[in-house]
Amino acid sequence: MNWKFWQRRKDSDKPKKKKTKTREWVDAIVFAVVAATIIRVFFIEAYTIPTGSMERSLLVGDFLFVSKVNYGARVPMTPVAFPFAHHTMPFINTKAYWDGVQWKYRRLPGLQEIKRNDVVVFNFPEGDTVVLERQDDNYYQMQLRGETRQSIWSNFSVTSRPVDKRENFIKRCIAIAGDTISMKNGMAVVNGKPSPLIGTGGFIYTVEFNTSEVNFKLFEDMGFRIGATAFPTIFRFEGTPDLVEELKKSPFVKSVKEELSPEGEYDPLIFPHDINRKWNLDNFGPIIVPKKGWTVTLDSVNMPLYERSIRIYEGNKLEKVGNDWMLNDKKATTYTFKMNYYWMMGDNRHSSADSRYWGFVPEDHVVGKALFIWLSVDGEAKFLNKIRWSRIFKGIH
């Protein structure tokens, strides 16, 4: 008789040891975490609107579902990370990832390409360097406002973050790769055609009334945000162009004037921060959005626009030596882009930190497409009225 066969048969007849309750709970939790992580990374993720930059399309307190499938899920570039934490561990405020392992940018096949007017979630392009004590600020904009690099590094804790661990932003894609974008008196112009925001998009207006006895609750109910000025009959209204047309019909309104930065006025905070380009929030361009395979000349005209994309986003060594540009230690007169880029702007045009301040969004920074609102909470309302029921399951257009 085959003793080994008999022994295996005898062992297999023994009843398996039953898992303890603790072991069952541990297995269930591990399975749930793994499953949820896979869904979050490759399929769909929840996102919260923290600021008013997209009003009236999206409101502070809206909770969204963002699809990773539409544009193709991005394979994690920083794979070793704590589940469900983006870049910082809650409560202890330490890094929630280990950047000792970095994978190259790869994206699974998607259902569509990014289209103009899509509402897109992406990693903040200038979020590579972060001042931890002032995370609601921008390290590069701090320098443009007059703070020196030395003072920032001396007085604050500064860290760097990999692409997929930078802050998540949500904006509307105004121009795609290869488009020419400009702004004329507050109106976006794409490929020579005005691109107005219909039914959304906030602008600021100076409104003069012919009396100081005005029921502002009426205008607030229409959707305006109203601010006082030093004059008893003049106020600042924030609203959409279609609301302003209704406002002008009021017999109490004497005049309405949109507040715009005049053409030719230089704003150093506006991309590309070039004194030779007299650009501002409402008047800039034209700018060609880089496209994969597009070749640009390396000269004094183009480099303020494209140097950061070539050097930081595409990882090249780029420096100027005399009158020449050295690309990866070799003299170069042109550069061919390896990625597509996008121009993102908030609908609330005068209260939005967007591409007008920091330029292009590279394709490897794209997280996903905003689909619909699954919950909306008004933080300013009383407890019983906090949920905005009319916005639940509302699609995003």
Side-chain angles (χ1 to χ4, degrees):
M1 179 183 293
N2 189 324
W3 172 254
K4 290 183 178 180
F5 172 78
W6 171 255
Q7 186 65 34
R8 284 198 302 270
R9 176 100 181 253
K10 183 179 180 182
D11 291 342
S12 64
D13 291 339
K14 291 181 180 180
K16 292 183 179 180
K17 187 177 180 180
K18 187 177 180 181
K19 291 183 180 180
T20 64
K21 288 290 185 182
T22 302
R23 176 63 184 276
E24 289 179 353
W25 273 104
V26 170
D27 288 350
I29 291 170
V30 170
F31 175 80
V33 169
V34 171
T37 300
I38 291 173
I39 292 171
R40 181 172 177 263
V41 170
F42 294 104
F43 294 95
I44 198 167
E45 183 177 3
Y47 183 81
T48 308
I49 299 297
T51 70
S53 68
M54 285 294 291
E55 292 184 348
R56 297 166 50 208
S57 303
L58 298 171
L59 304 180
V60 175
D62 282 350
F63 293 79
L64 319 176
F65 276 133
V66 176
S67 168
K68 306 294 184 69
V69 177
N70 283 64
Y71 304 140
R74 183 179 60 184
V75 176
M77 303 165 76
T78 311
V80 182
F82 190 84
F84 311 122
H86 183 42
H87 53 64
T88 304
M89 292 289 291
F91 307 116
I92 58 177
N93 293 326
T94 58
K95 287 200 307 185
Y97 59 91
W98 181 54
D99 50 12
V101 177
Q102 289 287 295
W103 290 348
K104 290 183 179 180
Y105 164 63
R106 294 180 179 85
R107 190 178 293 276
L108 300 180
L111 302 177
Q112 65 173 99
E113 300 291 333
I114 296 178
K115 298 181 294 185
R116 299 180 196 92
N117 290 318
D118 279 359
V119 177
V120 181
V121 173
F122 55 92
N123 297 116
F124 178 38
E126 287 192 343
D128 56 302
T129 307
V130 180
V131 180
L132 294 178
E133 292 86 351
R134 292 167 61 174
Q135 293 197 49
D136 57 343
D137 207 345
N138 180 339
Y139 168 77
Y140 298 99
Q141 293 276 322
M142 289 170 65
Q143 296 179 63
L144 291 170
R145 292 196 298 268
E147 298 187 56
T148 65
R149 183 181 184 277
Q150 182 179 1
S151 68
I152 294 173
W153 283 80
S154 299
N155 298 320
F156 301 102
S157 302
V158 183
T159 189
S160 61
R161 285 177 180 157
V163 170
D164 57 341
K165 296 304 176 182
R166 297 170 190 174
E167 290 291 350
N168 288 326
F169 274 35
I170 183 166
K171 306 289 179 187
R172 189 177 298 277
C173 179
I174 301 299
I176 61 175
D179 283 347
T180 299
I181 175 73
S182 61
M183 201 90 169
K184 298 296 180 185
N185 295 322
M187 174 73 74
V189 180
V190 181
N191 299 327
K193 298 179 180 179
S195 180
L197 291 171
I198 308 298
T200 185
F203 297 87
I204 298 175
Y205 302 84
T206 300
V207 181
E208 183 176 2
F209 291 89
N210 51 32
T211 176
S212 59
E213 301 296 326
V214 179
N215 181 9
F216 291 106
K217 181 67 166 58
L218 176 66
F219 299 110
E220 289 173 346
D221 290 343
M222 289 174 62
F224 285 106
R225 287 184 175 182
I226 303 173
T229 68
F231 303 95
T233 59
I234 299 177
F235 296 83
R236 299 179 81 232
F237 275 53
E238 183 179 320
T240 61
D242 54 321
L243 284 179
V244 169
E245 291 303 313
E246 292 297 317
L247 176 68
K248 290 178 179 179
K249 299 176 183 178
S250 170
F252 302 106
V253 174
K254 184 177 180 180
S255 66
V256 178
K257 183 179 179 181
E258 186 177 354
E259 294 186 9
L260 296 171
S261 300
E263 189 172 1
E265 181 180 273
Y266 173 61
D267 185 345
L269 300 181
I270 297 300
F271 178 82
H273 325 295
D274 180 12
I275 188 63
N276 296 312
R277 291 176 164 91
K278 307 296 183 182
W279 293 357
N280 56 57
L281 193 68
D282 300 306
N283 291 279
F284 66 79
I287 304 171
I288 299 176
V289 182
K291 183 177 183 178
K292 183 178 181 180
W294 179 56
T295 299
V296 65
T297 303
L298 305 183
D299 57 24
S300 59
V301 175
N302 288 327
M303 291 312 290
L305 292 168
Y306 304 114
E307 180 182 357
R308 180 175 174 83
S309 297
I310 297 170
R311 185 166 53 87
I312 302 298
Y313 304 145
E314 304 214 348
N316 295 285
K317 182 181 178 182
L318 183 67
E319 56 184 344
K320 191 174 185 181
V321 179
N323 293 324
D324 299 324
W325 284 95
M326 304 297 291
L327 181 65
N328 299 322
D329 297 321
K330 296 180 180 179
K331 182 179 176 180
T333 57
T334 62
Y335 179 79
T336 302
F337 286 96
K338 299 178 176 64
M339 285 193 293
N340 288 321
Y341 292 77
Y342 305 92
W343 190 268
M344 306 287 187
M345 290 172 59
D347 288 354
N348 195 357
R349 290 291 164 81
H350 282 170
S351 300
S352 173
D354 51 37
S355 285
R356 291 171 294 178
Y357 291 93
W358 31 258
F360 313 112
V361 176
E363 66 176 44
D364 66 348
H365 284 54
V366 173
V367 174
K369 181 179 182 178
L371 292 182
F372 64 90
I373 299 165
W374 61 273
L375 177 65
S376 183
V377 178
D378 184 359
E380 298 177 357
K382 294 180 180 179
F383 179 76
L384 293 177
N385 299 322
K386 272 191 173 182
I387 297 178
R388 303 185 186 108
W389 295 102
S390 62
R391 297 185 64 78
I392 294 179
F393 299 121
K394 181 180 178 181
I396 298 169
H397 305 288

